[in-house]
Amino acid sequence: MDAKDKEKPAMQGEAVLTGSSTYALDPKRRLTIPSGWRDALGRPAYVFVMADPHEKCLRLISYERMQALQAKLQGKRFSDPLVAQKLRTIGQNMEQLPLDVQGRIRISDRLLAFAGITGRAVFVGAITYGEIWAEEARVSVPEIDQQALGEALAALEF
């Protein structure tokens, strides 16, 4: 193990996505995933992106997180029409996207339009997944809101 390897934290299991970064769509409408996130994700071949069910943003989900979600589905009866309909709804609003050698993904125009992303996008870490927002839809937070942070930590028993 060389000195560089000793500097990197040992990451095992699911990636932790934190921080905030802004990137512009390139002329081919690709977005670069933040390099720290790519490192945390283990430099994956692909990621999953889906419409957020509560906000006008997109969720970026790791392969490992998707495996955990799939494991939860193993007990479901796929022959149940209601289960099939729910899975279809999730599946049609999600994409499996390959990363190119520079860490860029090409999100469909449909999902970009859903999130209102036309120029610049803000990547926001949400611990177990990432969020991708249109820059104009994401209010910048210049100061740390200690009250909101304390409430979040308490509510999630963090």
Side-chain angles (χ1 to χ4, degrees):
M1 181 184 311
D2 64 31
K4 254 188 170 177
D5 290 332
K6 289 180 184 176
E7 292 174 15
K8 295 179 184 177
M11 293 293 293
Q12 294 183 0
E14 198 171 315
V16 176
L17 301 180
T18 61
S20 178
S21 302
T22 303
Y23 291 89
L25 281 172
D26 73 8
K28 293 183 180 179
R29 300 179 55 78
R30 297 173 295 195
L31 280 172
T32 302
I33 294 177
S35 64
W37 285 17
R38 293 193 311 267
D39 289 342
L41 292 164
R43 298 277 171 183
Y46 59 89
V47 293
F48 295 87
V49 173
M50 68 178 290
D52 187 289
H54 308 290
E55 304 278 356
K56 282 291 192 180
C57 69
L58 303 174
R59 287 188 181 183
L60 184 141
I61 304 167
S62 70
Y63 174 78
E64 289 77 16
R65 178 85 169 139
M66 185 55 65
Q67 281 185 313
L69 294 170
Q70 280 184 297
K72 284 184 176 181
L73 296 174
Q74 293 305 314
K76 302 290 182 190
R77 289 188 36 237
F78 296 127
S79 60
D80 181 334
L82 184 59
V83 170
Q85 186 274 325
K86 300 295 184 198
L87 291 172
R88 185 179 317 110
T89 298
I90 295 167
Q92 70 188 11
N93 291 295
M94 178 183 291
E95 299 174 343
Q96 180 178 332
L97 301 171
L99 280 74
D100 68 14
V101 294
Q102 295 174 333
R104 297 173 299 198
I105 55 174
R106 175 56 173 95
I107 301 168
S108 72
D109 290 339
R110 178 175 173 261
L111 287 181
L112 290 173
F114 166 81
I117 300 170
T118 58
R120 294 174 60 80
V122 180
F123 287 78
V124 177
I127 311 296
T128 61
Y129 62 92
E131 295 179 340
I132 308 171
W133 292 81
E135 183 178 46
E136 52 278 359
R138 185 72 190 148
V139 177
S140 72
V141 183
E143 296 179 13
I144 295 174
D145 183 339
Q146 287 181 291
Q147 181 176 344
L149 178 59
E151 290 170 3
L153 292 169
L156 296 175
E157 298 177 359
F158 199 86

Short mmCIF file of all heavy atoms in Angstrom, two decimals, residues 6 30 33 52 69 83-84 92-93 98 105 108 119 125 135 146 151:
data_model
loop_
_atom_site.label_atom_id
_atom_site.label_comp_id
_atom_site.label_asym_id
_atom_site.label_seq_id
_atom_site.Cartn_x
_atom_site.Cartn_y
_atom_site.Cartn_z
N LYS A 6 -3.09 5.24 1.83
CA LYS A 6 -3.29 5.44 3.27
C LYS A 6 -4.09 6.70 3.55
O LYS A 6 -4.73 6.81 4.58
CB LYS A 6 -1.94 5.52 3.97
CG LYS A 6 -1.23 4.19 4.02
CD LYS A 6 0.10 4.32 4.73
CE LYS A 6 0.85 3.01 4.71
NZ LYS A 6 2.17 3.12 5.29
N ARG A 30 -24.99 16.51 -21.09
CA ARG A 30 -24.48 15.59 -20.09
C ARG A 30 -24.12 16.38 -18.84
O ARG A 30 -23.76 17.55 -18.91
CB ARG A 30 -23.22 14.87 -20.59
CG ARG A 30 -23.47 13.99 -21.81
CD ARG A 30 -22.17 13.45 -22.34
NE ARG A 30 -21.35 14.56 -22.83
CZ ARG A 30 -20.29 14.42 -23.61
NH1 ARG A 30 -19.89 13.22 -23.99
NH2 ARG A 30 -19.60 15.48 -24.02
N ILE A 33 -20.85 14.00 -12.72
CA ILE A 33 -21.07 13.66 -11.31
C ILE A 33 -19.85 14.15 -10.55
O ILE A 33 -18.72 13.93 -10.98
CB ILE A 33 -21.27 12.15 -11.14
CG1 ILE A 33 -22.57 11.73 -11.83
CG2 ILE A 33 -21.31 11.77 -9.65
CD1 ILE A 33 -22.84 10.25 -11.80
N ASP A 52 -37.78 12.50 -8.20
CA ASP A 52 -38.03 12.50 -6.77
C ASP A 52 -39.55 12.54 -6.55
O ASP A 52 -40.23 13.34 -7.18
CB ASP A 52 -37.36 13.71 -6.11
CG ASP A 52 -37.44 13.66 -4.60
OD1 ASP A 52 -38.55 13.85 -4.06
OD2 ASP A 52 -36.40 13.44 -3.96
N LEU A 69 -32.58 -2.13 -2.32
CA LEU A 69 -34.00 -1.92 -2.62
C LEU A 69 -34.59 -3.16 -3.30
O LEU A 69 -35.71 -3.58 -3.00
CB LEU A 69 -34.19 -0.67 -3.48
CG LEU A 69 -33.84 0.65 -2.79
CD1 LEU A 69 -33.84 1.79 -3.80
CD2 LEU A 69 -34.78 0.93 -1.65
N VAL A 83 -48.90 -4.85 -7.18
CA VAL A 83 -47.45 -4.82 -7.07
C VAL A 83 -46.84 -4.52 -8.44
O VAL A 83 -45.94 -3.67 -8.56
CB VAL A 83 -46.90 -6.15 -6.49
CG1 VAL A 83 -45.38 -6.22 -6.61
CG2 VAL A 83 -47.34 -6.32 -5.05
N ALA A 84 -47.33 -5.19 -9.46
CA ALA A 84 -46.81 -4.98 -10.82
C ALA A 84 -46.98 -3.53 -11.25
O ALA A 84 -46.07 -2.93 -11.84
CB ALA A 84 -47.50 -5.91 -11.81
N GLN A 92 -40.60 3.12 -14.75
CA GLN A 92 -40.69 4.03 -15.90
C GLN A 92 -40.24 5.45 -15.55
O GLN A 92 -40.06 6.28 -16.45
CB GLN A 92 -42.08 4.02 -16.50
CG GLN A 92 -43.16 4.66 -15.67
CD GLN A 92 -44.55 4.45 -16.24
OE1 GLN A 92 -44.75 3.65 -17.15
NE2 GLN A 92 -45.52 5.15 -15.70
N ASN A 93 -40.04 5.71 -14.28
CA ASN A 93 -39.57 7.04 -13.85
C ASN A 93 -38.14 6.99 -13.33
O ASN A 93 -37.71 7.87 -12.58
CB ASN A 93 -40.52 7.61 -12.80
CG ASN A 93 -41.85 7.96 -13.43
OD1 ASN A 93 -41.93 8.83 -14.26
ND2 ASN A 93 -42.89 7.24 -13.05
N PRO A 98 -25.04 4.91 -17.81
CA PRO A 98 -23.61 4.65 -17.78
C PRO A 98 -22.84 5.95 -17.58
O PRO A 98 -23.27 7.01 -18.03
CB PRO A 98 -23.33 4.04 -19.15
CG PRO A 98 -24.40 4.59 -20.03
CD PRO A 98 -25.61 4.78 -19.15
N ILE A 105 -22.91 11.72 -17.14
CA ILE A 105 -24.10 10.93 -17.45
C ILE A 105 -25.01 11.75 -18.35
O ILE A 105 -25.00 12.98 -18.32
CB ILE A 105 -24.86 10.50 -16.18
CG1 ILE A 105 -25.22 11.71 -15.30
CG2 ILE A 105 -24.07 9.46 -15.41
CD1 ILE A 105 -26.09 11.37 -14.09
N SER A 108 -32.15 11.58 -19.49
CA SER A 108 -33.14 11.79 -20.55
C SER A 108 -33.73 13.20 -20.47
O SER A 108 -33.81 13.80 -19.39
CB SER A 108 -34.27 10.76 -20.46
OG SER A 108 -35.09 11.04 -19.34
N GLY A 119 -29.79 24.39 -17.76
CA GLY A 119 -28.45 24.95 -17.89
C GLY A 119 -27.49 24.41 -16.85
O GLY A 119 -26.64 23.59 -17.12
N GLY A 125 -25.85 16.31 -1.60
CA GLY A 125 -25.78 15.02 -0.93
C GLY A 125 -26.89 14.86 0.08
O GLY A 125 -27.20 15.80 0.83
N GLU A 135 -30.38 24.73 -10.95
CA GLU A 135 -29.73 25.74 -10.11
C GLU A 135 -30.72 26.79 -9.61
O GLU A 135 -30.69 27.17 -8.44
CB GLU A 135 -28.59 26.40 -10.87
CG GLU A 135 -27.82 27.41 -10.05
CD GLU A 135 -26.67 28.04 -10.81
OE1 GLU A 135 -26.86 28.44 -11.97
OE2 GLU A 135 -25.58 28.14 -10.22
N GLN A 146 -28.21 26.10 12.39
CA GLN A 146 -28.01 25.16 13.48
C GLN A 146 -29.32 24.56 13.99
O GLN A 146 -29.36 23.39 14.35
CB GLN A 146 -27.27 25.84 14.64
CG GLN A 146 -25.79 26.07 14.34
CD GLN A 146 -25.10 26.72 15.51
OE1 GLN A 146 -25.37 27.87 15.81
NE2 GLN A 146 -24.23 25.98 16.16
N GLU A 151 -32.59 19.84 14.52
CA GLU A 151 -33.88 19.17 14.37
C GLU A 151 -33.76 17.95 13.47
O GLU A 151 -34.35 16.90 13.76
CB GLU A 151 -34.92 20.14 13.81
CG GLU A 151 -35.33 21.21 14.81
CD GLU A 151 -36.19 22.31 14.18
OE1 GLU A 151 -36.52 22.25 12.98
OE2 GLU A 151 -36.53 23.27 14.92
#
